[in-house]
Amino acid sequence: MIKIDQETTVREIKPKSRRIMGGRGPDDDYDKEDEIKWPPWLRPLLQTSFFVQCKLHADAHKSECNMYCLDCMTGALCSLCLAYHKDHRAIQIRRSSYHDVIRVSEIQKFLDITGIQTYIINSARIVFLNERPQPRPGKGVTNTCQVCERSLLDSFSFCSLGCKIVGTSKNFTKKKKMCKETDGSSDAESLNGVNKRSTKSKLQSFTPSTPPPTALNYRSGKRRKGVPHRAPMGCLIIEY
């Protein structure tokens, strides 16, 4: 008999980096202090896909998953799934312009939303979960989101919960400082380029220019036309 040792190999599956603010990618440098600063349910909440059909209650009338349990963190739940989460902290996610939002009255019980711009939709004040970048800021905009550069009111710094997580992290502040330093060096180089162009223009200004028109040239150029003369009528013969 030949014995064969079966070895079980465990593969580490790394999550794909998603375009969700506050969601950590596989290659992101992360600080432990940033992890402790936020509640453990916040990042899974921002990475969850809501308004999908519940797999357990697909045949039910209300099977849309728009609830989330902060204690279990098991993904989106429908209203029927809440029966298994009694006495748990559950919040409801809503939709506005195809973006996930939550009411301020619900989220401010568990999270500090200072600095995040709020909106009033259907007579309720809400905040957005993730970023909503703008291709171009509007004219006359004086304040934008520190992360996605969306136009904001002057008293706010972020447009969503995810942008606040990213904007308040240590790595983001370091990158921002580095960008400012690189921008300052590029501005200096551009100023040097402008100075060089100005010196070149000054050197070229010493070359003689076209002389101004004299009075004779002006008169010849502005000569008036003479009075037209008609042919005499005496030489005209009319035959019948």
Side-chain angles (χ1 to χ4, degrees):
M1 295 292 292
I2 300 174
K3 295 183 179 180
I4 301 174
D5 296 333
Q6 295 181 353
E7 297 180 356
T8 59
T9 58
V10 179
R11 292 180 61 189
E12 181 182 0
I13 301 175
K14 294 184 178 181
K16 295 182 180 179
S17 57
R18 303 173 60 188
R19 185 60 177 171
I20 295 177
M21 302 308 296
R24 181 175 37 168
D27 299 327
D28 293 342
D29 296 330
Y30 203 66
D31 198 338
K32 292 183 179 180
E33 294 183 6
D34 295 331
E35 184 75 29
I36 299 172
K37 183 166 48 177
W38 303 105
W41 51 261
L42 182 55
R43 291 180 182 276
L45 170 66
L46 300 181
Q47 295 176 344
T48 303
S49 298
F50 293 95
F51 299 96
V52 295
Q53 191 176 22
C54 181
K55 295 180 180 179
L56 298 177
H57 307 94
D59 298 333
H61 178 63
K62 294 182 178 180
S63 61
E64 191 177 48
C65 296
N66 62 343
M67 306 295 294
Y68 190 83
C69 181
L70 304 182
D71 297 323
C72 298
M73 297 180 290
T74 54
L77 306 172
C78 70
S79 57
L80 299 176
C81 291
L82 291 180
Y84 304 98
H85 299 267
K86 289 183 179 180
D87 301 328
H88 288 188
R89 299 175 299 170
I91 56 176
Q92 183 178 358
I93 306 300
R94 293 171 168 83
R95 271 283 172 97
S96 175
S97 301
Y98 303 100
H99 293 279
D100 297 336
V101 301
I102 186 171
R103 287 185 176 178
V104 173
S105 58
E106 292 186 48
I107 194 63
Q108 67 181 0
K109 298 177 184 177
F110 315 108
L111 188 67
D112 181 18
I113 59 172
T114 304
I116 305 175
Q117 179 164 328
T118 59
Y119 301 85
I120 297 177
I121 298 176
N122 295 331
S123 303
R125 191 172 293 276
I126 59 92
V127 292
F128 286 86
L129 297 188
N130 290 293
E131 68 167 358
R132 297 176 301 132
Q134 280 180 325
R136 293 180 183 176
K139 293 183 178 179
V141 175
T142 58
N143 185 35
T144 58
C145 178
Q146 295 181 8
V147 178
C148 67
E149 297 183 356
R150 185 175 185 85
S151 58
L152 302 175
L153 298 177
D154 294 337
S155 57
F156 299 101
S157 303
F158 307 101
C159 70
S160 61
L161 297 175
C163 285
K164 183 174 181 179
I165 294 178
V166 176
T168 55
S169 63
K170 287 188 175 182
N171 293 327
F172 181 79
T173 54
K174 289 178 182 178
K175 291 179 181 178
K176 199 170 183 181
K177 288 181 180 178
M178 291 175 63
C179 290
K180 286 184 178 179
E181 290 176 357
T182 54
D183 290 340
S185 60
S186 62
D187 291 340
E189 290 177 358
S190 62
L191 287 174
N192 292 331
V194 171
N195 292 330
K196 289 180 180 178
R197 286 195 296 270
S198 61
T199 52
K200 287 182 179 179
S201 61
K202 288 180 180 179
L203 291 173
Q204 291 177 358
S205 64
F206 285 106
T207 58
S209 59
T210 305
T214 59
L216 181 61
N217 294 335
Y218 181 80
R219 288 178 182 176
S220 62
K222 297 292 183 177
R223 182 182 296 174
R224 291 184 61 185
K225 294 183 179 179
V227 179
H229 297 282
R230 293 182 179 179
M233 299 294 292
C235 62
L236 182 62
I237 300 174
I238 300 175
E239 295 182 356
Y240 293 94

